[in-house]
């Protein structure tokens, strides 16, 4: 512990360490964060030189000074705790690295949030690119599974109980549609977050000179960003959109993970996670193989949603600069990005490696002794009896089937006024548009993927 009671080190997160995404974590690392500020200061100096507001030689000296090895990071963070923000101590340290004649021009006209927000934009662009890579992997894996199991018949379940037959492909197609919509939105999100910030102390650009629009545009171009329509120091809806998109991706992954958890229960046993020595093992029950990937995704996603939710409080920033709301972002945005990336990364592995037991699926359907086909029989009888009469007749037969532990077809023939009109129906006969739904989801996903 430091003398003032603060901690000099990072809080250890087992969730991040074991299940986070190392690539996304690197994007939001201490070094990457500070490097974004350095790149921004260098780009600002070069842009000012381009329009004649700064000598080119001085701009290049500034750019050369904006290097990580020129910073004392422990001293920077210690001074930040006193100042409240890191850019003043960063500028002071860099200025000391400049020759005397080149001092006084670094950070000219900009404000702290300009530098930090521009650095954040660089991180967000990289983050969206990483989300795209991970989403592609998850979607490709789902598409393969949907295609392979378009005809794998299983029980569709509503309210936790067997309802009517479906196929595993049709079930997984609902996830694939969600991932497809998510992937389609990422290029739009990327454009929305790649904004330079250069509007000065209160958003008026008063200290940036008469050619500020040119400086802003050139600075943006040098960083691969774009100039915004206006200052965004306190207009944070774009950042909230980023967080919300992340949380949605995490939530889709969690729904998939919950499906695997439920279907891998001992009493159901229709799918299971990948096997391996001590994979999912219990410290005391040798027989256990817990669904650890699915559990990790659920835990990551819950925390991602919480982090994303706080971004709506960050949007409450008032006047021309926040008084505390900005600090929410410093924690929440890296969290939601890293947590979501972990969900997507593990989700792709989960889909790729899970085992499907089609025989168990058929056996579970048989447990209902044909009652999952009650709706099918109702519609078979409805043309002659009318829907309501057919419904009540099949209901009577279903209750008798359950009480007597016999097949629904048997009790239906007993109560039907004309048993001869009853034609046997099997689970595979009543999957409706399941195959077409699976095929449509795969086709739409692959339409957006490179050949």
């Amino acid at each position: 512990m430091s003398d003032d009671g603060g901690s000099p080190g990072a809080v250890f997160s087992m969730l991040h360490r074991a299940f986070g995404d190392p690539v996304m974590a690197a994007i939001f690392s201490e070094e990457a964060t500070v490097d974004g500020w350095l790149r921004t200061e260098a780009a600002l100096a070069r842009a000012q030189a381009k329009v004649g507001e700064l000598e080119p030689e001085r701009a290049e000296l500034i750019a050369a000074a904006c290097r990580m090895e020129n910073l004392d990071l422990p001293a920077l963070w210690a001074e930040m705790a006193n100042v409240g923000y890191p850019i003043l101590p960063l500028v002071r340290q860099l200025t000391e690295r400049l020759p005397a004649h080149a001092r006084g021009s670094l950070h000219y006209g900009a404000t702290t949030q300009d530098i930090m927000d521009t650095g954040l934009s660089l991180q967000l662009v990289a983050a969206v690119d990483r989300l795209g890579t991970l989403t592609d992997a998850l979607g490709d894996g789902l598409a393969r599974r949907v295609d392979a199991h378009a005809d794998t018949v299983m029980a569709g379940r509503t309210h936790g109980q067997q309802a009517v037959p479906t196929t595993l492909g049709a079930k997984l197609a609902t996830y694939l549609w969600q991932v497809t919509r998510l992937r389609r939105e990422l290029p739009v999100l990327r454009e929305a977050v790649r904004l330079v910030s250069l509007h000065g102390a209160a958003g008026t650009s008063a200290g940036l000179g008469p050619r500020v629009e040119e400086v802003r545009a050139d600075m943006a171009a040098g960083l691969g960003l774009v100039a915004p329509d206006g200052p965004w120091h306190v207009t944070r809806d774009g950042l909230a959109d980023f967080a919300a998109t992340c949380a949605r991706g995490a939530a889709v992954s969690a729904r998939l993970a919950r499906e695997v958890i439920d279907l891998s229960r001992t009493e159901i046993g229709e799918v299971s996670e990948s096997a391996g020595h001590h994979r999912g093992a219990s410290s005391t029950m040798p027989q256990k193989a817990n669904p650890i990937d699915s559990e990790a995704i659920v835990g990551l996603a819950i925390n991602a949603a919480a982090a994303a939710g706080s971004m709506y409080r960050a949007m409450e920033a008032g006047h021309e600069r926040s008084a505390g709301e900005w600090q929410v972002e410093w924690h929440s945005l890296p969290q939601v990005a890293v947590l979501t990336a972990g969900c997507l990364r593990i989700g792709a592995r989960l889909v790729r490696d899970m085992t499907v037991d089609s025989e168990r699926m058929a056996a579970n359907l048989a447990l209902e002794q044909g009652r999952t086909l009650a709706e099918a029989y109702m519609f078979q009888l409805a043309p002659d009896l009318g829907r309501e009469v057919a419904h009540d007749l099949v209901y009577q037969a279903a209750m008798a089937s359950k009480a007597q532990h016999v097949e629904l077809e048997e009790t239906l023939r007993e109560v039907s006024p004309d048993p001869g009109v009853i034609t046997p129906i099997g689970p595979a006969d009543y999957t409706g548009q399941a195959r077409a739904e699976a095929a449509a989801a795969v086709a739409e996903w692959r339409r957006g993927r490179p050949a």
Side-chain angles (χ1 to χ4, degrees):
M1 298 290 286
S2 61
D3 292 342
D4 64 358
S7 173
V11 174
F12 172 65
S13 168
M14 284 192 292
L15 196 61
H16 283 187
R17 182 65 182 83
F19 303 114
D21 178 57
V23 176
M24 190 67 86
I27 290 170
F28 288 96
S29 67
E30 175 186 24
E31 182 169 320
T33 300
V34 176
D35 182 66
W37 305 338
L38 294 172
R39 290 170 61 192
T40 299
E41 294 284 9
L44 171 60
R46 284 177 169 147
Q48 289 171 326
K50 188 172 182 180
V51 301
E53 293 185 348
L54 185 64
E55 297 91 335
E57 179 200 4
R58 185 176 294 197
E60 289 308 312
L61 287 170
I62 290 172
C66 291
R67 300 173 63 87
M68 192 69 66
E69 56 264 33
N70 288 334
L71 293 177
D72 179 345
L73 288 179
L76 185 149
W77 302 129
E79 187 62 19
M80 176 186 171
N82 178 55
V83 174
Y85 302 95
I87 301 305
L88 187 150
L90 179 137
V91 170
R92 296 288 172 86
Q93 287 192 27
L94 295 178
T95 298
E96 292 176 1
R97 297 286 183 169
L98 292 170
H101 74 278
R103 296 181 179 182
S105 298
L106 173 65
H107 191 68
Y108 202 88
T111 192
T112 286
Q113 193 166 354
D114 286 333
I115 305 305
M116 292 178 66
D117 277 351
T118 301
L120 175 63
S121 292
L122 295 172
Q123 291 175 294
L124 293 180
V125 169
V128 174
D129 289 344
R130 178 58 178 166
L131 290 175
T133 298
L134 295 170
T135 304
D136 286 345
L138 176 56
D140 287 344
L142 279 168
R144 285 190 289 270
R145 287 288 188 168
V146 171
D147 204 21
H149 292 285
D151 295 315
T152 302
V153 180
M154 65 181 298
R157 295 175 170 89
T158 63
H159 305 280
Q161 301 179 17
Q162 289 195 25
V164 296
T166 186
T167 70
L168 180 59
K171 175 187 284 289
L172 293 178
T174 67
Y175 298 96
L176 184 56
W177 280 115
Q178 286 185 286
V179 173
T180 299
R181 289 190 288 271
L182 177 67
R183 187 64 182 89
R184 194 177 290 145
E185 292 174 13
L186 291 180
V188 178
L189 182 65
R190 190 181 194 274
E191 286 302 303
V193 299
R194 67 184 197 101
L195 302 178
V196 74
S197 180
L198 187 66
H199 285 86
T204 64
S205 304
L208 286 158
R211 303 186 69 178
V212 60
E213 291 186 8
E214 296 174 66
V215 172
R216 189 183 299 123
D218 190 74
M219 177 181 167
L223 293 169
L225 304 176
V226 296
D229 294 331
W232 52 284
H233 293 154
V234 287
T235 58
R236 314 304 274 184
D237 46 304
L239 302 183
D241 286 345
F242 171 84
T245 300
C246 285
R248 282 177 41 232
V252 173
S253 303
R255 188 170 80 88
L256 175 64
R258 176 57 61 191
E259 188 85 61
V260 172
I261 290 170
D262 289 342
L263 293 181
S264 66
R265 290 178 179 176
T266 305
E267 294 82 1
I268 298 178
E270 295 177 355
V271 303
S272 59
E273 289 192 4
S274 59
H277 182 65
H278 279 179
R279 180 166 177 76
S282 164
S283 65
T284 187
M285 295 173 284
Q287 85 282 6
K288 292 298 296 295
N290 298 316
I292 53 170
D293 276 349
S294 299
E295 293 175 5
I297 291 171
V298 171
L300 289 163
I302 289 171
N303 281 287
S310 69
M311 286 301 299
Y312 294 99
R313 294 301 311 275
M315 285 182 65
E316 298 172 11
H319 297 305
E320 283 63 56
R321 191 67 57 81
S322 78
E325 293 85 1
W326 188 26
Q327 283 82 343
V328 172
E329 300 172 14
W330 302 352
H331 176 78
S332 294
L333 281 175
Q335 286 290 320
V336 73
V338 173
L339 292 164
T340 298
C343 286
L344 295 170
R345 183 180 67 85
I346 298 173
R349 182 175 69 204
L350 176 64
V351 170
R352 182 194 68 204
D353 295 342
M354 74 176 180
T355 299
V356 176
D357 190 338
S358 58
E359 292 183 1
R360 186 64 176 267
M361 290 175 175
N364 285 341
L365 268 172
L367 292 174
E368 277 288 273
Q369 297 181 293
R371 291 186 292 275
T372 55
L373 298 165
E375 181 187 80
Y377 282 115
M378 179 186 74
F379 286 120
Q380 187 181 94
L381 297 173
D384 293 329
L385 303 178
R387 183 195 176 283
E388 295 307 311
V389 173
H391 177 281
D392 291 348
L393 190 70
V394 176
Y395 177 83
Q396 180 184 353
M399 295 304 100
S401 166
K402 188 177 294 186
Q404 298 169 27
H405 303 289
V406 297
E407 291 292 321
L408 173 63
E409 183 189 347
E410 180 180 335
T411 57
L412 186 57
R413 290 184 183 279
E414 292 174 357
V415 301
S416 175
D418 185 4
V421 303
I422 298 172
T423 301
I425 304 172
D429 301 324
Y430 199 67
T431 57
Q433 295 293 304
R435 165 167 274 282
E437 291 166 5
V442 172
E444 186 61 28
W445 171 257
R446 289 179 176 163
R447 188 173 294 118
R449 298 286 287 127

